[in-house]
Amino acid sequence: MDNSPSHDDSGQPPVPVPVPMTKPEPKSESRPELRPEAGAAARPHAPAAEAELRVSDADREKVAELLRDAYAEGRLDADEHAERIEAAYASKTFGDLAPLTRDLPARPLSFEKQPLSAPQGPPPQQPARQEAPTVVAIFGGASRKGRWRVGSHLSAFTAFGGVDIDLSDAVFESPEVEITVTAIFGGVQIRVPENVSLQGSGIGIFGGFDVREQTAADPYAPVVRVKGLALFGGCEAKPRRGKKLKEWVRRQLGTD
């Protein structure tokens, strides 16, 4: 074998091959394609801000009530009140309603729905008052009305004054009530429920004694008898239309 050096071999080390300076581009990683999730179209929208919520007729009426109060108190003039009322009823969202009362020192306006409470019955009835059997008015006035207990006898005296006796809401403790009237330079007015019997016998001297008698259709209804004297004065007794004696009162009298 021929081990002689090649004619090209000059005895120098070999020249290295130049290396390119550019870095090789990294291989692109395969990324999964983004696809909409199943059912994404059925997702509900994010809750809207309160100002964007639609208002109801009840919400518009709340604002209108505040504006009426402000107008009655003199906080708004007629033009401002009319303009804001019109804007309130034309509002579509809470954002439209809020500016209408922002400058008014009224009660805070809340559009929150109140929880429904259980229906409540009528409030308990207050017990009837126990009153003296005599009503007196001298140079002034006196009245007896509302829910009070009336016995079998009642007297009214007035001199230069007036007495008002209203039996419309009274509790009758007796099937017969006798009222004795003395009116001197004064007047006495008596009103009874429309479904009781009313009778009268009195004397008027330089005055009048007027009792509009009636007989109740119910034979067990209480009877009110008015008698007495009116001197330079007057007495008037009459039924009060629209006011009736309650049925439970009749049972209380033991007539059922």
Side-chain angles (χ1 to χ4, degrees):
M1 178 178 291
D2 187 6
N3 294 327
S4 61
S6 172
H7 64 278
D8 292 334
D9 187 6
S10 58
Q12 299 294 328
V15 178
V17 180
V19 179
M21 299 301 293
T22 57
K23 295 182 180 181
E25 296 181 359
K27 295 181 180 180
S28 59
E29 298 180 358
S30 60
R31 298 179 180 178
E33 184 180 356
L34 298 178
R35 297 179 180 178
E37 298 179 4
R43 285 182 179 178
H45 296 289
E50 183 178 0
E52 299 175 359
L53 295 177
R54 307 281 289 192
V55 296
S56 66
D57 291 338
D59 297 327
R60 298 185 185 95
E61 192 59 38
K62 288 181 182 178
V63 175
E65 182 180 355
L66 292 179
L67 295 175
R68 295 188 192 102
D69 292 342
Y71 177 63
E73 295 169 357
R75 303 184 190 277
L76 298 175
D77 58 28
D79 293 337
E80 291 172 329
H81 173 256
E83 180 181 354
R84 295 194 188 193
I85 284 289
E86 182 178 358
Y89 286 117
S91 297
K92 301 296 184 183
T93 65
F94 290 116
D96 298 333
L97 285 178
L100 301 178
T101 58
R102 186 172 296 164
D103 59 346
L104 299 177
R107 61 183 182 273
L109 185 64
S110 174
F111 296 101
E112 297 180 0
K113 301 300 182 183
Q114 298 296 330
L116 296 177
S117 57
Q120 299 180 354
Q125 198 169 29
Q126 296 296 325
R129 307 187 313 271
Q130 187 69 45
E131 299 282 1
T134 302
V135 185
V136 178
I138 301 175
F139 289 98
S143 64
R144 187 71 57 82
K145 60 181 63 177
R147 186 171 168 76
W148 59 289
R149 308 180 76 88
V150 56
S152 59
H153 291 85
L154 183 66
S155 63
F157 175 83
T158 179
F160 299 94
V163 171
D164 183 11
I165 298 176
D166 190 349
L167 301 177
S168 301
D169 298 313
V171 177
F172 285 73
E173 295 184 328
S174 173
E176 294 187 4
V177 180
E178 184 177 88
I179 304 178
T180 303
V181 174
T182 303
I184 303 174
F185 291 95
V188 175
Q189 185 177 40
I190 301 171
R191 287 169 291 180
V192 302
E194 64 176 2
N195 61 338
V196 304
S197 296
L198 178 61
Q199 301 174 3
S201 59
I203 301 174
I205 301 175
F206 294 101
F209 207 103
D210 181 17
V211 178
R212 301 183 188 178
E213 295 188 350
Q214 69 172 13
T215 301
D218 186 353
Y220 296 103
V223 179
V224 178
R225 294 186 174 90
V226 181
K227 65 179 184 177
L229 169 68
L231 177 63
F232 291 97
C235 175
E236 181 185 34
K238 62 181 179 179
R240 185 176 178 183
R241 300 305 175 191
K243 285 288 188 177
K244 294 185 177 181
L245 189 68
K246 302 295 186 296
E247 288 297 324
W248 67 267
V249 174
R250 201 180 83 178
R251 290 196 297 270
Q252 181 182 2
L253 298 177
T255 56
D256 280 354

